[in-house]
Amino acid sequence: MRKTRSMIGAALVTGLVVPLAACGSGGGGSDDNTLTVQSVWTKGTAEGDALSKVIDQFTDETGAKVEWLDTGESLSDVYETSVAGGSEADLVLSNYAEKTVDWVKNGAVVPMDSYLKDWGLSDSIKGSAVDEWKDSDGKLVGLPFSGFLWPVWYNTDLLKKAGVDGIPATTDDLIAAAGKLRAAGIEPMAVGGNDWSGQKVFLQIAQSYADADTARETFTKGGFCAQPDIMKGIKLFTKLRDGGVFVDDAQGYSADATNAEYFNGKAAIVSAGSWAFGSDDLTPELAASTTLSGFPDPSDGGAYDKPTAYNGYTGVGVMLSPNGEKKADLAEKFVKLLYSSETVGDFVSTANLVPAATTGDDAKINNPLLEQGVNDLDSRVDYAVMPDASVPGAVADPMIRATSLAYSPGHDAASICKSIDDAYASVG
Amino acid sequence: MTTTTEARRPAAPPAARTNKTQRHSGRGRALVPAHVLAWLYALLLVIPLYYVVVSAFKTNGDIFAHPFALPTSISFDNFSTAWSRANLGTALANSVLITGTSAVLTLALAVPAAYGLARARGRLGTAVERLFSLGFLIPGFAALVPTVLLAIAVGLFQTRIFVILFMPATALPLSVILLTQFMRTVPPELEESATLDGASRWVVLRHIYLPIAMPGIATVTILNLLNFWNEYLFTLILGGPSPSVRTVQVALPTLVSQTSTDYGVLAAGTLVTLVPVYVAYILLSRQMEDALLQGAVKS
C-alpha cells in the first residue's frame, strides 16, 4: 500500500513537475568539492560495505567529500522528484530497469556515450555490457558496473531423495520430477508468483518457442496473444503449472519467500539470481549440493538447444545527473576509482558481484556458487532474452500484476495473454 | 454511596430476587457474542504485533519456516543492525523534531482559531468554519504536486523546515473543527463573568477555555502526533533522501531490498519506530479517553 502510494505520488510529481522544473529551478544540492552519490545499495549490505570503502578511499585521495544517499528501493522515486527540484544527486548507482530505462529521454540523467570515451573507460567495460545500457534511441544511459547470472538452482540431494536421477532436461522430465518430489513430501519449484521474480520465470517459459528477436519485440511492444510462438510458450506455462511443477499457492510467494523455501530445504528447485549466492541463509552444505543450470527445454523442441537461464549487465550502473555534469572532473575521479581493478576485485570477492568491467576478470572469487556460475553455467545453458531491457518502464508494474494471475490455477493461456496485453494497453 | 443506597432499599422478596438473577443471567448470556467479538478483535490487533515482535529476534529462515513460533534465542543483533544500517538515531531525532514542532505549531494556530470560531456569532464566523471544513475535501495527492512546486519556488525543497511548515497546514482543518466543538461546550456565562472582572481575551482563553477544552486538545494532539510521525509520502518527497534530513518512516524502507531483505532486521527497525508513538499514546491516552467519554455522555 505504502509502495503503491509512493509510486503514484512519484508518478504525479514526475509527470507534472519535471516538465515545469525543467523551465528553471534552483541549482544543485552540494558544493563544488562535494560529490553526492545516490545508490540502490544500502549501508550494511555487502555491496554497501564495498561502496563505503570506495567512498573513504576517494575522500583520502582527493580531499573531496562524498554525501552518500543510500535510498535503496525508493531510489527512482526519490531521484525523479529531486530532479524536479534541481537537487538531484551527482552520481546515481542503480539498476537499468523500469523507470531508469527512460531517464536519458526525460532528461533525468545525461547520456554517457561521450564520457565512456573521454574518461578512458571504453576498454575497461565489456562491450556487451555497454550495449545493454543503451536505450531505444541508442543513447548510453549509464556505465554498467555489475551484472548478474540468473540460473535455476537444483538441490541434488533432495532430487536424489525423491528418486529423481539428474537434472530434468525437458519439461516433461520436470513434470515427472515434480510428481516424485511431491510424493516424497518435497515442494518442486519455488517461484515468486507475487512479484518481479515470478514475472521473469513466466517470461522465460513464455519465450521457450520464440527466437530472441521475436521475444524482444513482443516484450517491447506487447501483443502476446497475437504472437503464436509466445502463445505456445504460455500454454506450456499453464501445462507446467497444472502439472504441479510450482509450489502450491505460488501466486502468493515473493522472491524472498521463494529463496527461503529453497534455503530451508522445503523446495528442491528455485530460480534465483547471483545476488542470492551470498545469502546468510544459504548453508555451505546446501551450496555444495546445489547445481546451477537452466529451465528445461520444451519436450517438443523449443527455440534453444540447451536449458535457459538469464544473464545480463543491467544489475547496477553509474549514471551522471545534470548536476553531476557540472562536476564532471570530480565525478570522473570517482568513477575511475570505482572501475579500478582493486575496487572491482573487492566487489567480486566480498559482494559476489558479477563484474561488467574487464578489470574484474582476474578477480578472486570466494563464493562456490559464483565460481560454479562463472565457470560452468555457459556450457550448461543458453541465455534467454532478459525482459528488463525490453519491457517499457511504465508497463513493468501492471505486467507483474498480470503475470501474478498466471500462477493462479484456472487461468488459461488466452486469459493470461489478454491480461498482459491489457497491461501494455493501459499505459498507451 | 452505593452501600448507603442499598441499605435504605427494602429487601427484595425471594421471587423478585430470582427474577433479577434470571435477568442478570439472561443479560450475561446476551453479552457472550459481544465478548467473543471483542476478544476476536483484540486478537486481530495483537497477532500482527506479536508477529513483528517475534520476527525481530529471528533470521529470515526462521521467519519463513516458523512465522509464529517463539524465537529460539533472544539476541538484539537485529536491533543494532537496523539502528546502524538505517541510521535510525538521526532519523528518530528528525522525526521527533518534525513531529513535535509541527504538533506545537498546529496547536498554536488551531487553538486561537477554534476559540474565535466558537465564540463567533455572525455569518463571517460560520463562513470561516465552513472554509476550514472544505479542507477535508482536498485529497492528499491533489495537494502533492502544487506543494512540491511551492517548495521549489520558495527554495525550501527537501528541507526539514518546509516539512514542518507543511504538516500543520494538512492538520489544521480537523484540528480547528474538533477544537471548536470542544470550546462551544464552555458556558458563555463563564466568559461574561470573567470579562466583567476585567479579564482580557487572552486570559479568558488561557484560564477558562484551555482547561475545559484540555481533553479535546489532547485528542487533537495525539491524532496529529500519530499522523505526523507516520507520514511517509510527503516526507519522502518534500524532505528528501538525505540521511541528515530523513525521518524514520523514510529511513526504514532502506532496510528493504528487492533481491534480499533481512526481515528480522526490518522487524527490529519497525519496533524501534513504534516505541515513541506508543510512549506518546500512553502519556496522552487518559486525556483522550476523557474526551471520548465526554462525547459519549453528551450524546
Side-chain angles (χ1 to χ4, degrees), chain A residues 55 76 321 356 405:
Chain A
I55 289 170
S76 55
S321 74
L405 288 176

Side-chain angles (χ1 to χ4, degrees), chain B residues 11 15 165 236 268 271:
Chain B
L165 291 172
L236 172 73
L271 281 181

Side-chain angles (χ1 to χ4, degrees), chain A residues 2-3 5-6 8-10 12-13 16-17 20-21 25-26 38 42-45 67-74 77-78 81-82 84-85 87 95 98 196 254-257 259-261 264 266 275 280-281, chain B residues 59-62 64-66 81 84-87 141-142 144-146 148-149 152 157-158 230-234 236-237 240-244 246 248-250 252-263:
Chain A
R2 167 175 283 191
K3 175 149 177 146
R5 277 172 60 90
S6 81
I8 295 169
L12 271 171
V13 172
L16 298 175
V17 180
L20 291 168
S25 60
Q38 188 168 359
T42 54
K43 289 168 188 161
T45 59
E67 188 185 2
W68 179 16
L69 310 177
D70 60 331
T71 34
E73 293 308 317
S74 58
D77 294 341
V78 172
T81 51
S82 299
S87 58
N95 56 339
E98 302 177 8
W196 53 272
S254 65
D256 287 320
N259 291 351
E261 286 286 289
N264 282 333
K266 288 184 176 174
W275 50 83
D280 292 338
D281 298 315
Chain B
T59 62
N60 260 14
D62 289 340
F64 285 108
H66 314 287
T81 304
S84 58
R85 273 180 56 183
N87 211 354
F141 282 148
L144 182 60
V145 172
V148 171
L149 288 173
I152 293 168
F157 185 55
Q158 296 190 334
N230 291 324
E231 170 53 44
Y232 172 70
L233 179 61
F234 281 90
L236 172 73
I237 291 174
S242 172
S244 61
R246 68 191 182 194
V248 280
Q249 304 302 341
V250 178
L252 203 57
T254 63
L255 298 174
V256 177
S257 162
Q258 201 172 43
T259 51
S260 57
T261 298
D262 192 332
Y263 288 94

Side-chain angles (χ1 to χ4, degrees), chain B residues 22-57:
Chain B
Q22 283 172 343
R23 272 205 308 277
H24 278 171
S25 165
R27 201 179 303 153
R29 275 197 298 274
L31 285 174
V32 168
H35 277 285
V36 170
L37 288 174
W39 279 107
L40 276 177
Y41 180 64
L43 205 61
L44 282 176
L45 296 180
V46 167
I47 286 172
L49 193 61
Y50 168 80
Y51 177 73
V52 173
V53 172
V54 296
S55 297
F57 297 94

